[in-house]
Amino acid sequence: MRRLHAPGRAVHAMAEWARQHAGIKGVVLDISGVLYDGGGDGGGVPIPGSREAVEKIKASGLKLRFCTNETQATRGKFVEKLQRLGFNISVNEVTAPAPAACRILKERNLRPHLLVHDDLVPEFDQLDKANPNCVVIGDAADNFSYKNLSEAFRVLIGLENPILISLGRGRYYKETDGLKLDVGVYMKALEYACDVQAEVVGKPAKMFFQSALAEMEVEPQQAIMIGDDIVNDVGGAQQCGMRALQVRTGKYRPCDEQHPEVKADGQPSRPLCTSGNFLIQEHVFLRIGLKEEIICGGFPTTCACKLQFVKGPCTPRYRGDSLLMPVVV
């Protein structure tokens, strides 16, 4: 076995992560900004290494669930796009806001006025939308016009008990041509105008994460969330009792690491150099898939779960049947 020499801080970090992550059985993955960036003629571009990462996680034996706030298409059409981009993913592996909202609307006999993207409307085909008694807002993109917002406002303000259901509350997201305003901005406008608090269906709502965990049949402490949104992905998962990593892709910004209220349990980093040398002083890697002893500075540290830190090269790569993901400590 290769002997890896590391400074005391890195050794301590590895041992601490091994202790914290014992018993991990499931991984919850965000999609936009983690697996791909949307936009463009092809509907998006995979983030390098993401397709292989999905395959390796599935091969590791860990349970996997995709948890997204995507509301610009039905869940079926969204999954079809991801499949065209080369991802091994099926509809029944994805937790999305629109199907969850439809269940809530049916259970409460609500008739929605929809302020959503045209491609999401078919998700609500089985619902009565005549004489609406609530408003459902999603990422409507170009449908967020003054006219459409005013119409949604008039419906809400005219109700004795106004109900606003928001499919997520994100502030912005990243596409191939840059950052875009998300549904949370327009949700806040309607909240302010109508003096109402929206019911959020989607991240960061606790119920949304609980639904994903239930599908995997794991407890919160047995799962890790990986996302690019410090508040909705990381903060939402942590409030549910999960641990969470924030990737440095998608909407990530350096200031996220100094967020006043949310601190990620780790930040997988972009490669900082092109050298293939093992630089433990700069990088620590999260390995998914194997149970092996790691030698660091002469001291063995063994992780009993399927997640463990190993020293790795400056670019993500594979060794054996395990996935190496860079993590800053």
Side-chain angles (χ1 to χ4, degrees):
M1 180 177 293
R2 184 183 181 96
R3 185 172 293 272
L4 307 179
H5 297 282
R9 188 172 70 91
V11 173
H12 173 76
M14 290 178 184
E16 181 65 13
W17 267 81
R19 181 189 68 78
Q20 290 181 357
H21 292 81
I24 293 298
K25 296 181 179 179
V27 176
V28 180
L29 280 182
D30 182 26
I31 297 179
S32 178
V34 174
L35 301 184
Y36 90 115
D37 287 325
D41 295 336
V45 177
I47 292 171
S50 60
R51 289 174 292 200
E52 294 83 0
V54 170
E55 294 292 348
K56 289 293 179 177
I57 293 173
K58 288 189 172 185
S60 75
L62 289 167
K63 295 182 179 182
L64 177 62
R65 191 74 186 170
F66 300 92
C67 195
T68 179
N69 273 0
E70 169 63 41
T71 56
Q72 286 196 9
T74 64
R75 181 170 57 169
K77 291 295 184 183
F78 181 53
V79 169
E80 287 178 9
K81 178 176 74 173
L82 293 171
Q83 290 171 341
R84 289 196 301 272
L85 293 175
F87 288 98
N88 177 10
I89 184 174
S90 61
V91 171
N92 61 9
E93 293 177 303
V94 178
T95 300
C102 286
R103 290 193 294 271
I104 291 171
L105 294 169
K106 290 178 181 177
E107 290 169 1
R108 294 165 57 180
N109 295 316
L110 294 174
R111 303 179 302 277
H113 171 86
L114 299 176
L115 179 50
V116 299
H117 196 282
D118 290 341
D119 292 340
L120 188 69
V121 172
E123 201 83 74
F124 299 88
D125 280 349
Q126 302 304 312
L127 296 171
D128 180 9
K129 293 180 283 292
N131 189 26
N133 57 2
C134 71
V135 169
V136 173
I137 183 173
D139 181 10
D142 291 340
N143 282 349
F144 279 134
S145 65
Y146 178 79
K147 176 183 177 182
N148 290 340
L149 281 165
S150 292
E151 186 176 358
F153 160 73
R154 286 193 294 269
V155 171
L156 279 174
I157 204 72
L159 296 172
E160 183 177 352
N161 297 303
I163 298 173
L164 174 61
I165 295 176
S166 183
L167 307 181
R169 68 172 194 194
R171 295 174 298 166
Y172 56 88
Y173 56 91
K174 183 175 180 284
E175 289 194 338
T176 52
D177 59 347
L179 297 176
K180 305 290 181 70
L181 288 177
D182 204 351
V183 61
V185 175
Y186 304 96
M187 176 198 83
K188 287 294 184 182
L190 290 174
E191 282 185 331
Y192 178 71
C194 301
D195 194 21
V196 63
Q197 184 171 351
E199 301 176 27
V200 178
V201 179
K203 297 175 292 185
K206 187 175 182 179
M207 184 181 299
F208 197 64
F209 285 101
Q210 289 173 334
S211 176
L213 292 169
E215 292 289 344
M216 293 194 296
E217 298 182 334
V218 300
E219 297 299 319
Q221 66 272 17
Q222 297 174 322
I224 288 182
M225 173 74 198
I226 300 176
D228 65 329
D229 189 315
I230 189 65
V231 173
N232 294 311
D233 293 333
V234 174
Q238 289 174 337
Q239 288 183 15
C240 190
M242 301 167 62
R243 280 153 288 181
L245 306 179
Q246 184 189 21
V247 294
R248 290 182 172 180
T249 54
K251 69 175 68 173
Y252 164 84
R253 297 167 66 200
C255 62
D256 291 343
E257 296 180 34
Q258 285 78 46
H259 193 279
E261 298 177 1
V262 181
K263 181 175 178 57
D265 296 293
Q267 256 116 5
S269 77
R270 295 176 180 174
L272 298 179
C273 70
T274 58
S275 170
N277 295 328
F278 287 81
L279 300 176
I280 192 67
Q281 293 87 347
E282 296 186 22
H283 298 291
V284 176
F285 283 74
L286 181 65
R287 178 155 79 180
I288 299 177
L290 291 180
K291 300 178 183 178
E292 289 185 358
E293 185 182 72
I294 308 165
I295 303 294
C296 296
F299 296 95
T301 57
T302 302
C303 181
C305 64
K306 294 177 180 177
L307 297 177
Q308 64 181 209
F309 277 107
V310 299
K311 182 175 155 184
C314 294
T315 54
R317 61 184 64 192
Y318 303 100
R319 185 189 302 151
D321 63 347
S322 64
L323 166 66
L324 300 180
M325 296 172 62
V327 175
V328 171
V329 295

